[in-house]
Amino acid sequence: MADVPVQSGTYSIGEVAKITGTTVKTVRYYDQIGLVKPVTHTEGGHRLYTTEEIWRLELILTLRYLSFGIEDIRKIISGEIPVSTALDWQIEALSTQQHMISNMISILQRAKESDHGEESLRHIRQLVESVHISTEERKKFILNKIQESMFIDQFPPDWHESLVQSVIGVLPKEGKLTSGQSAAWTELEEMLNSAEFHQEFRESMGVFIKVVNQYLIDAEKWTNKMFDSFERLSVAIQNRESPDSQAVQEVVDDYVAEFADMLQAPVTPELLRLFIGVARISGTNRVRRFWELRSIVNPDMRFLIHTKNLMYQGIQWKIAQLEAGETR
């Protein structure tokens, strides 16, 4: 194709592809999906770009190299997701994927080192089964295991439905899983086969069960307040608010005030520590990892783990203030 005359300060699609080390087809694709639009067109309809669009394309190519999905990239560029949050998510996903690959390598190495052909085939079969096990079977396995650990039958009847729904929230949406989701799914299965995890998870539920039964906390009221608080904290995260900011502390004050009213108790450091246990916003390393894996398997739950962390940090700041005899 003949060279296309371009305006001063602009670049043709071919020049952009050459500068960024990609192809014309790729540049055209990002235009079609609305991520990198040309600043203008020539009279003949050829795309023209400026250095700003080139920088944007280079950023997108870098994020794609780091395995970010198109929708995540779109949210990062628009500012809907803070860069720091997006990086945390990707670190989690890649760490989980690394864990899965390590398991596969381990099985293959054991198969290779086996002295007997049938033994090698058995190890290889284990690997194949772990990869190709049906989604429905995995869902059933995980649902049953989590429900066992949550002691749902020990809660008042009005709590059962919301607890079951919280378990279902662990499951991925319909459709093909990404490599990161598949790896997280596998790690969840391994975790739920661990007696140590079940013990720690049950202990994390212990305070919750005791308080719900002792003070007859209303399930709908509690759940609505929880989601309202986390939704407000999601906005705070997008605005890069710190734990001691007014926005975060207002959420903490509202949520804790509701809790204190349910217990008919004053807001003290002791009550705040009890609240941390009841709201399940902290826990052992294994329990925290469980919540992280849940947010990877079901991306809709991603903000939940980050809002929980911000809530926890905000309450710790509030405790320090109260213990120092200060008021906000």
Side-chain angles (χ1 to χ4, degrees):
M1 184 178 72
D3 291 339
V4 178
V6 300
Q7 301 172 12
S8 176
T10 60
Y11 302 83
S12 69
I13 191 170
E15 290 173 324
V16 171
K18 185 175 181 180
I19 291 170
T20 57
T22 188
T23 65
V24 169
K25 183 179 179 180
T26 298
V27 181
R28 188 180 296 118
Y29 167 72
Y30 287 123
D31 173 17
Q32 291 170 346
I33 65 173
L35 275 180
V36 183
K37 304 293 291 183
V39 68
T40 187
H41 293 78
T42 67
E43 291 183 1
H46 297 283
R47 297 171 176 84
L48 295 178
Y49 299 84
T50 66
T51 54
E52 183 175 346
E53 287 74 50
I54 292 174
W55 178 88
R56 185 185 180 100
L57 177 59
E58 288 178 332
L59 172 61
I60 291 169
L61 294 173
T62 300
L63 292 174
R64 289 296 288 157
Y65 172 77
L66 294 172
S67 296
F68 280 89
I70 292 297
E71 288 309 309
D72 282 344
I73 292 174
R74 195 186 303 279
K75 291 177 181 178
I76 293 169
I77 290 176
S78 68
E80 185 178 344
I81 300 176
V83 173
S84 59
T85 300
L87 292 177
D88 284 340
W89 291 351
Q90 199 64 4
I91 290 170
E92 290 171 6
L94 293 176
S95 296
T96 305
Q97 187 175 350
Q98 181 183 38
H99 177 78
M100 180 181 181
I101 292 172
S102 295
N103 283 345
M104 289 183 173
I105 292 174
S106 176
I107 292 174
L108 289 171
Q109 286 177 334
R110 290 200 303 271
K112 181 180 178 181
E113 293 167 0
S114 173
D115 292 333
H116 302 89
E118 290 185 1
E119 185 69 11
S120 296
L121 292 174
R122 186 177 70 83
H123 284 305
I124 294 173
R125 183 168 177 271
Q126 286 177 354
L127 173 61
V128 172
E129 286 182 344
S130 71
V131 173
H132 292 288
I133 186 171
S134 75
T135 300
E136 289 306 315
E137 288 178 348
R138 301 178 85 174
K139 284 183 177 180
K140 184 178 179 180
F141 169 82
I142 286 183
L143 282 175
N144 289 339
K145 286 291 186 178
I146 296 176
Q147 287 180 2
E148 286 175 13
S149 295
M150 290 184 73
F151 295 120
I152 291 178
D153 60 335
Q154 294 188 22
F155 284 85
D158 66 318
W159 275 88
H160 292 184
E161 180 60 27
S162 64
L163 289 170
V164 169
Q165 290 302 316
S166 73
V167 174
I168 292 174
V170 175
L171 302 178
K173 288 184 170 183
E174 296 298 327
K176 185 178 180 180
L177 299 181
T178 66
S179 58
Q181 287 175 304
S182 181
W185 194 240
T186 300
E187 188 176 342
L188 265 177
E189 288 179 313
E190 293 176 357
M191 182 178 288
L192 291 169
N193 271 322
S194 164
E196 291 82 2
F197 168 75
H198 280 284
Q199 180 63 31
E200 292 173 9
F201 195 81
R202 286 168 179 167
E203 289 174 359
S204 75
M205 293 292 295
V207 176
F208 189 27
I209 294 172
K210 180 179 178 180
V211 170
V212 165
N213 282 287
Q214 182 176 345
Y215 296 98
L216 302 178
I217 293 178
D218 182 83
E220 184 177 2
K221 186 177 181 181
W222 175 266
T223 302
N224 289 341
K225 190 64 181 179
M226 177 185 70
F227 280 110
D228 173 69
S229 299
F230 287 161
E231 185 175 335
R232 291 166 63 189
L233 287 175
S234 293
V235 175
I237 288 174
Q238 292 178 42
N239 294 334
R240 298 192 172 104
E241 301 282 2
S242 61
D244 63 343
S245 67
Q246 181 177 348
V248 173
Q249 285 303 308
E250 284 179 353
V251 178
V252 170
D253 289 344
D254 289 348
Y255 201 171
V256 171
E258 186 91 16
F259 180 66
D261 183 62
M262 292 176 181
L263 272 60
Q264 294 294 298
V267 177
T268 63
E270 290 71 27
L271 181 121
L272 289 170
R273 292 189 179 96
L274 178 63
F275 174 79
I276 288 174
V278 173
R280 293 173 293 160
I281 55 178
S282 184
T284 65
N285 289 337
R286 283 193 187 92
V287 172
R288 287 197 296 272
R289 181 59 179 163
F290 167 80
W291 293 113
E292 291 171 358
L293 291 170
R294 170 179 172 166
S295 69
I296 296 171
V297 170
N298 187 343
D300 285 349
M301 307 303 294
R302 275 179 168 177
F303 262 112
L304 182 61
I305 187 69
H306 298 291
T307 52
K308 279 191 172 191
N309 288 340
L310 185 56
M311 173 71 80
Y312 176 73
Q313 294 165 6
I315 292 175
Q316 292 290 9
W317 184 88
K318 175 68 71 178
I319 290 173
Q321 296 297 102
L322 290 175
E323 290 183 336
E326 300 176 10
T327 58
R328 189 169 178 81

